Amino acid sequence: MNSLSCKTFTAQVTIGMTKGYSREKIPMPIFKDELLKAQREIKEKYNVLLSAKIRTCEIVFLGQDEPSIELEFIQYPKFLQEETELKKAIISLTEILMIKLEQNRVVIVFKEDTIMLEQNKEIDPTIKI
């Protein structure tokens, strides 16, 4: 049996499953289809292979209660990539999904920093600040 190891790298992206600030839900098959298209686009653009683990979750914040998806990315030992290229590819994939799934704001958590991508300053009207 072969064994491969590499320096650990992880990234986590949480994406809402409601279009914009509407009540229109994004069905899981649509989400997966858009993810697959984005993965292909990233492969073509950056030559980076991004396998994603999908978990369902919810974002709950001061009145907001939104079904969401958590994507987790790792440095896969079989297809090693430079960390800077992985980060760039994950950020680009997240931007693609934001546009396709009509998300205004998404957060990407890397081990050493957190990046918020935002299309505009609007806040979900269900949030009571």
Side-chain angles (χ1 to χ4, degrees):
M1 179 179 300
N2 291 331
S3 175
L4 297 173
S5 66
C6 62
K7 181 180 170 212
T8 299
F9 169 91
T10 62
Q12 184 179 41
V13 177
T14 305
I15 300 178
M17 292 296 283
T18 304
K19 284 187 179 181
Y21 297 131
S22 71
R23 298 208 182 274
E24 185 181 346
K25 302 297 181 207
I26 301 165
M28 182 62 82
I30 298 294
F31 180 89
K32 286 181 178 179
D33 185 55
E34 292 300 339
L35 174 60
L36 181 59
K37 288 176 190 173
Q39 287 170 319
R40 287 180 180 141
E41 189 173 328
I42 294 304
K43 180 181 175 244
E44 291 298 315
K45 186 174 182 179
Y46 298 105
N47 197 31
V48 173
L49 305 172
L50 289 177
S51 172
K53 182 192 298 183
I54 298 175
R55 286 189 203 98
T56 58
C57 60
E58 292 182 44
I59 298 171
V60 178
F61 179 62
L62 299 176
Q64 178 189 34
D65 188 354
E66 182 178 5
S68 301
I69 293 293
E70 181 182 274
L71 297 175
E72 184 177 351
F73 301 93
I74 64 168
Q75 172 73 279
Y76 193 64
K78 185 72 171 176
F79 306 111
L80 290 175
Q81 303 283 334
E82 289 291 328
E83 281 190 25
T84 55
E85 292 302 307
L86 273 174
K87 280 184 164 185
K88 185 171 27 173
I90 290 166
I91 292 166
S92 184
L93 179 128
T94 303
E95 291 172 341
I96 293 165
L97 289 175
M98 284 178 71
I99 292 165
K100 295 292 186 177
L101 301 171
E102 300 178 38
Q103 298 299 295
N104 185 40
R105 192 172 294 105
V106 174
V107 174
I108 306 168
V109 179
F110 295 107
K111 183 174 134 184
E112 66 284 342
D113 58 3
T114 299
I115 299 170
M116 181 186 74
L117 302 177
E118 180 177 66
Q119 294 202 58
N120 61 56
K121 301 285 184 191
E122 284 183 58
I123 302 288
D124 186 331
T126 62
I127 297 174
K128 307 297 184 239
I129 297 179

